[in-house]
């Protein structure tokens, strides 16, 4: 087992121990952290994810983004390519469950990742250098491999307890610009 695999296993276990009450509180807290940060999300094109398995909650964030006049896009998995495509969502009625139970958008209003202003990403853990460990399938890394040539900003959403010393980044790993947790906003240079 590699260091990254051990890290993933350790932090998935840690995250699985979070109770429903703490998950709700952390979702509210991360919104407060966002509002007090220098990230301004009014009238932007923003991608978010639908949280699962004790990831930082996103339902309230998505509602807020829509209410503040942003165009909101959610990823849809292309499993045979292990990539994501992004489609516009105007309400939760625009979603249906995929084969593994994740809510995904219907296929309308497609946008390329470099056309987005911000992309919120989940993580298993993150480090202070802007790297994240995901579920290990590489969907975000493959889908965002050309992002460094654009103005798109990448934002990790996490519980503060998911912070680690190093995510052991590899050449293909995408570095984020920010991480928002229930405690603070991190900006990565």
């Amino acid at each position: 087992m590699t260091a990254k695999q051990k890290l993933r296993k350790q932090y998935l276990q840690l995250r699985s121990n979070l109770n429903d009450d703490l998950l709700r509180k952390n979702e509210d807290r991360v919104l407060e952290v966002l509002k007090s940060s220098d990230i301004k999300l009014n009238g932007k094109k923003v991608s978010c994810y639908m949280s699962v398995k004790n990831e930082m909650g996103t339902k309230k964030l998505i509602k807020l983004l829509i209410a503040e006049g942003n165009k909101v896009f959610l990823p849809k998995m292309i499993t045979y390519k292990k990539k994501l495509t992004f489609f516009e969502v105007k309400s939760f009625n625009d979603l249906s469950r995929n084969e593994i139970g994740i809510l995904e958008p219907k296929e309308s209003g497609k946008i390329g990742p470099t056309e987005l202003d911000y992309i919120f990403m989940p993580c298993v853990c993150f480090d202070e250098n802007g790297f994240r460990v995901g579920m290990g399938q590489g969907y975000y890394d493959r889908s965002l491999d050309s992002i460094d040539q654009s103005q798109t900003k990448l934002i990790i959403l996490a519980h503060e307890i998911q912070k680690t010393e190093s995510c052991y980044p590899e050449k293909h790993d995408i570095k984020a610009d920010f991480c928002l947790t229930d405690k603070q906003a991190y900006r990565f240079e």
Side-chain angles (χ1 to χ4, degrees):
M1 189 178 284
T2 67
K4 189 179 269 191
Q5 290 168 328
K6 287 178 186 171
L7 202 62
R8 182 176 294 113
K9 183 178 180 180
Q10 173 189 350
Y11 279 88
L12 280 172
Q13 180 61 48
L14 186 67
R15 196 176 76 185
S16 74
N17 292 331
L18 299 174
N19 66 48
D20 290 343
D21 186 50
L22 185 61
L23 291 170
R24 280 190 295 277
K25 286 178 182 173
N26 284 357
E27 184 175 3
D28 290 337
R29 289 176 183 147
V30 82
L31 288 179
E32 293 307 314
V33 169
L34 172 62
K35 290 174 186 175
S36 65
S37 77
D38 60 353
I39 300 169
K40 301 304 172 213
L41 299 171
N42 293 0
K44 302 290 184 185
K45 292 179 275 183
V46 182
S47 174
C48 197
Y49 61 93
M50 285 302 298
S51 52
V52 296
K53 299 180 182 171
N54 290 8
E55 291 173 337
M56 178 57 79
T58 57
K59 197 167 187 179
K60 291 176 183 177
L61 173 60
I62 292 167
K63 285 180 181 178
L64 176 70
L65 291 170
I66 292 170
E68 290 188 346
N70 295 286
K71 284 190 166 196
V72 177
F73 300 82
L74 294 183
K76 186 173 182 84
M77 296 167 59
I78 306 172
T79 50
Y80 72 95
K81 287 185 178 178
K82 290 196 175 191
K83 285 187 107 173
L84 302 170
T85 51
F86 300 88
F87 295 97
E88 188 170 8
V89 172
K90 295 182 179 171
S91 81
F92 289 108
N93 294 331
D94 296 341
L95 305 175
S96 60
R97 293 206 182 274
N98 68 12
E99 64 274 4
I100 59 172
I102 298 173
L103 285 170
E104 289 186 329
K106 296 175 183 162
E107 294 188 12
S108 66
K110 185 177 178 179
I111 192 169
T114 58
E115 299 172 76
L116 292 160
D117 297 303
Y118 293 95
I119 298 174
F120 286 95
M121 304 181 297
C123 73
V124 172
C125 59
F126 72 97
D127 65 26
E128 284 196 45
N129 295 311
F131 291 100
R132 61 184 270 285
V133 171
M135 294 301 289
Q137 300 299 309
Y139 278 86
Y140 277 95
D141 292 323
R142 263 187 227 83
S143 303
L144 305 178
D145 61 358
S146 63
I147 210 83
D148 61 344
Q149 305 301 320
S150 75
Q151 297 298 309
T152 305
K153 300 294 182 203
L154 304 178
I155 306 170
I156 300 166
L157 290 178
H159 305 281
E160 186 69 26
I161 63 159
Q162 292 176 270
K163 183 176 159 188
T164 189
E165 190 175 312
S166 175
C167 287
Y168 306 103
E170 299 170 66
K171 191 172 85 172
H172 64 270
D173 288 333
I174 303 295
K175 183 176 177 175
D177 299 285
F178 303 93
C179 179
L180 301 177
T181 73
D182 49 292
K183 301 279 189 236
Q184 64 183 311
Y186 296 86
R187 184 182 194 111
F188 310 116
E189 298 303 323

